[in-house]
Amino acid sequence: MVEIQASPFPFRLDPARAALIIIDMQRDFVEPGGFGETLGNDVSGCKAIVPVVRRLLDACREAGLAIVHTRECHRPDLSDCPPAKRERGNPGLRIGDLGPMGRILIAGEPGAAIVDELMPLPGEIVIDKPGKGAFYATDLGDQLGKRGITQLIFAGVTTEVCVQTTMREANDRGYECLLITDATESYFPEFKQAAIAMIVAQGGIVGWAATSDDLIGKIA
Ligand code: TIU
């Protein structure tokens, strides 16, 4: 057991039962021309955390933690994309439309790929998910269960959408969840701060929050 300085109180990490889960660090969310930008967002803040996530990933790999990568994407025939999701709002391009990085948010297209710096290694778990939460309509729970994982360390984008949704799903499934605050980002800085506050309020109603330095210093 390793004690990590965290909010609202220290997180007792068991490296043998913990996984790092990196949510949706895909070109579609962090590079111009992808899904995030078609929704009207400035993606530069999400791109800026890539080096921090890489440092966290390197440290967790070195410490022997299980690693999970998720990708929000849909089948080419859109059979797993509810019309209500595709038709939401008034984006420049919709899910499945052809953009500068291939078809928006479609599995196998260049835009749906994880950014080069964070490319999964052989043996790491990669989850393609049609929803915001990584447990919905995926085998993530089975993958974690067969490895005896009970603690999840969260990084990725965006804090209040896919990261928080997955954290809430995980919390309800009994996982202890730690969010790394400088390894996550939102298109809306105020939403990031609000999400972190919601997660740690009420005695850690959803989970804990710590910085990458807090964690890396302890698992090195
Ligand atoms: N739009 C937004 O903030 N996020 C998403 O659509 N997906 C994820 O957060 N990955």
Side-chain angles (χ1 to χ4, degrees):
M1 285 286 188
V2 180
E3 194 167 279
I4 313 291
Q5 185 62 42
S7 176
F9 48 82
F11 184 85
R12 288 172 57 76
L13 178 76
D14 180 354
R17 293 184 162 273
L20 172 68
I21 179 164
I22 302 177
I23 303 290
D24 300 357
M25 287 299 290
Q26 299 160 258
R27 300 180 69 200
D28 261 324
F29 291 106
V30 307
E31 291 184 11
F35 183 60
E37 194 179 70
T38 73
L39 295 175
N41 301 302
D42 174 1
V43 298
S44 58
C46 289
K47 176 88 175 171
I49 64 165
V50 169
V52 181
V53 180
R54 176 57 195 263
R55 187 168 161 262
L56 176 67
L57 176 59
D58 286 346
C60 289
R61 280 173 172 160
E62 201 148 309
L65 267 64
I67 309 288
V68 182
H69 307 260
T70 72
R71 299 183 293 214
E72 180 178 351
C73 58
H74 295 278
R75 295 184 194 136
D77 66 2
L78 296 177
S79 58
D80 60 353
C81 182
K85 180 177 183 182
R86 181 170 146 80
E87 287 158 20
R88 190 80 45 86
N90 188 23
L93 292 170
R94 295 187 185 278
I95 296 169
D97 289 350
L98 189 61
M101 296 189 290
R103 293 180 66 201
I104 300 284
L105 227 60
I106 298 296
E109 297 287 329
I114 292 170
V115 297
D116 287 345
E117 298 91 326
L118 305 174
M119 200 68 84
L121 292 179
E124 296 178 350
I125 302 166
V126 180
I127 301 289
D128 282 348
K129 62 187 188 59
K132 302 309 181 192
F135 287 87
Y136 169 68
T138 73
D139 68 350
L140 176 59
D142 292 339
Q143 296 280 356
L144 298 175
K146 71 185 183 200
R147 290 168 177 79
I149 302 295
T150 61
Q151 299 184 322
L152 293 174
I153 300 166
F154 282 82
V157 297
T158 61
T159 317
E160 81 283 9
V161 183
C162 292
V163 175
Q164 184 175 208
T165 300
T166 303
M167 233 175 140
R168 288 175 180 273
E169 286 183 326
N171 185 52
D172 280 351
R173 287 166 172 75
Y175 296 91
E176 293 176 310
C177 299
L178 174 66
L179 176 63
I180 304 302
T181 54
D182 52 335
T184 183
E185 194 48 84
S186 169
Y187 302 124
F188 305 88
E190 69 275 27
F191 290 177
K192 172 180 173 175
Q193 293 314 322
I196 295 168
M198 285 179 219
I199 284 162
V200 304
Q202 306 182 67
I205 195 83
V206 178
W208 286 255
T211 67
S212 55
D213 281 343
D214 288 333
L215 180 75
I216 291 169
K218 290 290 173 65
I219 62 173

mmCIF file of all heavy atoms in Angstrom, residues 23-24 26 29 35-36 39 41 72 105 129 132 157-163 186-188, ligand 1:
data_model
loop_
_atom_site.group_PDB
_atom_site.id
_atom_site.type_symbol
_atom_site.label_atom_id
_atom_site.label_comp_id
_atom_site.label_asym_id
_atom_site.label_seq_id
_atom_site.Cartn_x
_atom_site.Cartn_y
_atom_site.Cartn_z
ATOM 1 N N ILE A 23 -8.681 8.367 -20.634
ATOM 2 C CA ILE A 23 -9.942 8.509 -21.348
ATOM 3 C C ILE A 23 -9.771 9.350 -22.631
ATOM 4 O O ILE A 23 -9.400 10.525 -22.570
ATOM 5 C CB ILE A 23 -11.002 9.192 -20.438
ATOM 6 C CG1 ILE A 23 -11.210 8.411 -19.124
ATOM 7 C CG2 ILE A 23 -12.316 9.395 -21.193
ATOM 8 C CD1 ILE A 23 -11.894 7.081 -19.257
ATOM 9 N N ASP A 24 -10.000 8.723 -23.760
ATOM 10 C CA ASP A 24 -10.284 9.409 -25.041
ATOM 11 C C ASP A 24 -9.242 10.454 -25.464
ATOM 12 O O ASP A 24 -9.612 11.525 -25.990
ATOM 13 C CB ASP A 24 -11.675 10.071 -24.988
ATOM 14 C CG ASP A 24 -12.797 9.069 -24.746
ATOM 15 O OD1 ASP A 24 -12.519 7.872 -24.679
ATOM 16 O OD2 ASP A 24 -13.964 9.501 -24.614
ATOM 17 N N GLN A 26 -7.764 11.094 -27.997
ATOM 18 C CA GLN A 26 -7.810 10.834 -29.437
ATOM 19 C C GLN A 26 -7.617 12.133 -30.204
ATOM 20 O O GLN A 26 -7.952 13.225 -29.727
ATOM 21 C CB GLN A 26 -9.186 10.262 -29.815
ATOM 22 C CG GLN A 26 -9.529 8.968 -29.148
ATOM 23 C CD GLN A 26 -11.032 8.732 -29.166
ATOM 24 O OE1 GLN A 26 -11.716 8.923 -28.164
ATOM 25 N NE2 GLN A 26 -11.567 8.306 -30.309
ATOM 26 N N PHE A 29 -10.430 14.642 -30.338
ATOM 27 C CA PHE A 29 -10.719 15.561 -29.230
ATOM 28 C C PHE A 29 -9.633 16.605 -29.004
ATOM 29 O O PHE A 29 -9.910 17.649 -28.422
ATOM 30 C CB PHE A 29 -10.958 14.774 -27.929
ATOM 31 C CG PHE A 29 -12.232 13.995 -27.972
ATOM 32 C CD1 PHE A 29 -12.215 12.618 -28.131
ATOM 33 C CD2 PHE A 29 -13.459 14.640 -27.895
ATOM 34 C CE1 PHE A 29 -13.399 11.902 -28.213
ATOM 35 C CE2 PHE A 29 -14.648 13.934 -27.975
ATOM 36 C CZ PHE A 29 -14.618 12.559 -28.131
ATOM 37 N N PHE A 35 -13.831 15.824 -33.819
ATOM 38 C CA PHE A 35 -15.167 15.944 -33.234
ATOM 39 C C PHE A 35 -15.255 17.126 -32.272
ATOM 40 O O PHE A 35 -16.207 17.909 -32.328
ATOM 41 C CB PHE A 35 -15.510 14.637 -32.497
ATOM 42 C CG PHE A 35 -16.883 14.604 -31.901
ATOM 43 C CD1 PHE A 35 -18.014 14.730 -32.695
ATOM 44 C CD2 PHE A 35 -17.066 14.417 -30.543
ATOM 45 C CE1 PHE A 35 -19.293 14.667 -32.153
ATOM 46 C CE2 PHE A 35 -18.332 14.352 -29.979
ATOM 47 C CZ PHE A 35 -19.448 14.485 -30.785
ATOM 48 N N GLY A 36 -14.246 17.271 -31.403
ATOM 49 C CA GLY A 36 -14.287 18.348 -30.405
ATOM 50 C C GLY A 36 -14.416 19.708 -31.063
ATOM 51 O O GLY A 36 -15.222 20.548 -30.641
ATOM 52 N N LEU A 39 -17.784 20.550 -32.660
ATOM 53 C CA LEU A 39 -18.808 20.966 -31.694
ATOM 54 C C LEU A 39 -18.657 22.439 -31.308
ATOM 55 O O LEU A 39 -19.440 22.954 -30.519
ATOM 56 C CB LEU A 39 -18.722 20.099 -30.429
ATOM 57 C CG LEU A 39 -19.031 18.605 -30.605
ATOM 58 C CD1 LEU A 39 -18.785 17.851 -29.301
ATOM 59 C CD2 LEU A 39 -20.464 18.389 -31.077
ATOM 60 N N ASN A 41 -15.600 23.848 -30.140
ATOM 61 C CA ASN A 41 -14.644 24.045 -29.044
ATOM 62 C C ASN A 41 -13.249 24.421 -29.528
ATOM 63 O O ASN A 41 -12.828 24.025 -30.615
ATOM 64 C CB ASN A 41 -14.524 22.743 -28.239
ATOM 65 C CG ASN A 41 -15.844 22.309 -27.654
ATOM 66 O OD1 ASN A 41 -16.460 23.051 -26.904
ATOM 67 N ND2 ASN A 41 -16.289 21.103 -27.996
ATOM 68 N N GLU A 72 -13.586 7.019 -27.687
ATOM 69 C CA GLU A 72 -15.005 7.205 -28.015
ATOM 70 C C GLU A 72 -15.119 7.143 -29.529
ATOM 71 O O GLU A 72 -14.549 7.982 -30.235
ATOM 72 C CB GLU A 72 -15.527 8.547 -27.493
ATOM 73 C CG GLU A 72 -17.010 8.752 -27.817
ATOM 74 C CD GLU A 72 -17.599 10.052 -27.274
ATOM 75 O OE1 GLU A 72 -16.926 10.740 -26.496
ATOM 76 O OE2 GLU A 72 -18.741 10.381 -27.648
ATOM 77 N N LEU A 105 -15.249 10.590 -35.586
ATOM 78 C CA LEU A 105 -15.543 9.673 -34.473
ATOM 79 C C LEU A 105 -15.911 8.256 -34.927
ATOM 80 O O LEU A 105 -16.694 7.571 -34.272
ATOM 81 C CB LEU A 105 -16.663 10.262 -33.583
ATOM 82 C CG LEU A 105 -16.420 10.237 -32.068
ATOM 83 C CD1 LEU A 105 -15.174 11.037 -31.711
ATOM 84 C CD2 LEU A 105 -17.604 10.755 -31.296
ATOM 85 N N LYS A 129 -15.610 2.712 -27.099
ATOM 86 C CA LYS A 129 -16.879 2.919 -26.390
ATOM 87 C C LYS A 129 -17.790 3.849 -27.183
ATOM 88 O O LYS A 129 -17.348 4.887 -27.672
ATOM 89 C CB LYS A 129 -16.598 3.500 -24.992
ATOM 90 C CG LYS A 129 -15.922 4.871 -25.006
ATOM 91 C CD LYS A 129 -15.545 5.258 -23.588
ATOM 92 C CE LYS A 129 -15.042 6.655 -23.431
ATOM 93 N NZ LYS A 129 -15.931 7.729 -23.838
ATOM 94 N N LYS A 132 -20.388 8.094 -23.448
ATOM 95 C CA LYS A 132 -19.470 8.917 -22.678
ATOM 96 C C LYS A 132 -18.807 8.078 -21.581
ATOM 97 O O LYS A 132 -17.619 8.197 -21.328
ATOM 98 C CB LYS A 132 -20.210 10.122 -22.075
ATOM 99 C CG LYS A 132 -20.902 11.016 -23.123
ATOM 100 C CD LYS A 132 -19.988 11.441 -24.245
ATOM 101 C CE LYS A 132 -20.701 12.345 -25.236
ATOM 102 N NZ LYS A 132 -19.917 12.540 -26.479
ATOM 103 N N VAL A 157 -9.630 13.241 -21.385
ATOM 104 C CA VAL A 157 -10.567 14.321 -21.719
ATOM 105 C C VAL A 157 -11.968 13.777 -22.005
ATOM 106 O O VAL A 157 -12.112 12.632 -22.400
ATOM 107 C CB VAL A 157 -10.064 15.114 -22.944
ATOM 108 C CG1 VAL A 157 -8.742 15.799 -22.629
ATOM 109 C CG2 VAL A 157 -9.911 14.240 -24.191
ATOM 110 N N THR A 158 -12.973 14.664 -21.843
ATOM 111 C CA THR A 158 -12.900 15.912 -21.114
ATOM 112 C C THR A 158 -13.366 15.657 -19.689
ATOM 113 O O THR A 158 -14.152 14.746 -19.433
ATOM 114 C CB THR A 158 -13.797 17.003 -21.775
ATOM 115 O OG1 THR A 158 -15.168 16.581 -21.772
ATOM 116 C CG2 THR A 158 -13.362 17.311 -23.184
ATOM 117 N N THR A 159 -12.894 16.510 -18.775
ATOM 118 C CA THR A 159 -13.078 16.217 -17.352
ATOM 119 C C THR A 159 -14.534 15.993 -16.976
ATOM 120 O O THR A 159 -14.868 15.012 -16.307
ATOM 121 C CB THR A 159 -12.521 17.379 -16.506
ATOM 122 O OG1 THR A 159 -11.266 17.795 -17.041
ATOM 123 C CG2 THR A 159 -12.358 16.954 -15.050
ATOM 124 N N GLU A 160 -15.392 16.909 -17.431
ATOM 125 C CA GLU A 160 -16.783 16.837 -16.946
ATOM 126 C C GLU A 160 -17.671 15.973 -17.819
ATOM 127 O O GLU A 160 -18.827 15.730 -17.474
ATOM 128 C CB GLU A 160 -17.373 18.255 -16.811
ATOM 129 C CG GLU A 160 -17.886 18.874 -18.105
ATOM 130 C CD GLU A 160 -16.792 19.400 -19.026
ATOM 131 O OE1 GLU A 160 -15.609 19.146 -18.756
ATOM 132 O OE2 GLU A 160 -17.122 20.059 -20.038
ATOM 133 N N VAL A 161 -17.140 15.512 -18.969
ATOM 134 C CA VAL A 161 -17.970 14.678 -19.843
ATOM 135 C C VAL A 161 -17.517 13.218 -19.674
ATOM 136 O O VAL A 161 -17.979 12.524 -18.775
ATOM 137 C CB VAL A 161 -17.959 15.176 -21.301
ATOM 138 C CG1 VAL A 161 -18.879 14.333 -22.181
ATOM 139 C CG2 VAL A 161 -18.455 16.633 -21.353
ATOM 140 N N CYS A 162 -16.584 12.747 -20.504
ATOM 141 C CA CYS A 162 -16.284 11.311 -20.467
ATOM 142 C C CYS A 162 -15.517 10.882 -19.221
ATOM 143 O O CYS A 162 -15.682 9.755 -18.750
ATOM 144 C CB CYS A 162 -15.547 10.912 -21.733
ATOM 145 S SG CYS A 162 -16.625 11.028 -23.185
ATOM 146 N N VAL A 163 -14.663 11.756 -18.687
ATOM 147 C CA VAL A 163 -13.918 11.366 -17.487
ATOM 148 C C VAL A 163 -14.871 11.251 -16.301
ATOM 149 O O VAL A 163 -14.918 10.223 -15.617
ATOM 150 C CB VAL A 163 -12.777 12.360 -17.190
ATOM 151 C CG1 VAL A 163 -12.077 12.008 -15.875
ATOM 152 C CG2 VAL A 163 -11.766 12.367 -18.344
ATOM 153 N N SER A 186 -10.686 20.140 -19.838
ATOM 154 C CA SER A 186 -12.002 20.383 -20.425
ATOM 155 C C SER A 186 -11.851 21.473 -21.467
ATOM 156 O O SER A 186 -10.868 22.202 -21.481
ATOM 157 C CB SER A 186 -12.967 20.839 -19.329
ATOM 158 O OG SER A 186 -14.164 21.322 -19.908
ATOM 159 N N TYR A 187 -12.837 21.610 -22.346
ATOM 160 C CA TYR A 187 -12.883 22.773 -23.227
ATOM 161 C C TYR A 187 -13.326 24.008 -22.446
ATOM 162 O O TYR A 187 -13.230 25.121 -22.948
ATOM 163 C CB TYR A 187 -13.850 22.524 -24.386
ATOM 164 C CG TYR A 187 -13.495 21.305 -25.234
ATOM 165 C CD1 TYR A 187 -14.408 20.279 -25.443
ATOM 166 C CD2 TYR A 187 -12.239 21.192 -25.831
ATOM 167 C CE1 TYR A 187 -14.087 19.170 -26.218
ATOM 168 C CE2 TYR A 187 -11.909 20.089 -26.603
ATOM 169 C CZ TYR A 187 -12.843 19.083 -26.788
ATOM 170 O OH TYR A 187 -12.515 17.992 -27.556
ATOM 171 N N PHE A 188 -13.830 23.790 -21.224
ATOM 172 C CA PHE A 188 -14.339 24.871 -20.382
ATOM 173 C C PHE A 188 -13.615 24.811 -19.036
ATOM 174 O O PHE A 188 -13.942 23.950 -18.205
ATOM 175 C CB PHE A 188 -15.851 24.703 -20.146
ATOM 176 C CG PHE A 188 -16.651 24.592 -21.416
ATOM 177 C CD1 PHE A 188 -16.855 23.359 -22.024
ATOM 178 C CD2 PHE A 188 -17.192 25.722 -22.003
ATOM 179 C CE1 PHE A 188 -17.599 23.255 -23.201
ATOM 180 C CE2 PHE A 188 -17.939 25.628 -23.171
ATOM 181 C CZ PHE A 188 -18.138 24.389 -23.772
HETATM 182 N N1 TIU B 1 -17.666 17.204 -25.901
HETATM 183 C C1 TIU B 1 -16.974 16.821 -24.842
HETATM 184 O O1 TIU B 1 -16.646 17.620 -23.962
HETATM 185 N N2 TIU B 1 -16.590 15.520 -24.715
HETATM 186 C C2 TIU B 1 -16.966 14.478 -25.491
HETATM 187 O O2 TIU B 1 -17.801 14.578 -26.389
HETATM 188 N N3 TIU B 1 -16.332 13.279 -25.248
HETATM 189 C C3 TIU B 1 -15.368 13.106 -24.250
HETATM 190 O O3 TIU B 1 -15.344 13.811 -23.264
HETATM 191 N N4 TIU B 1 -14.450 12.173 -24.472
#
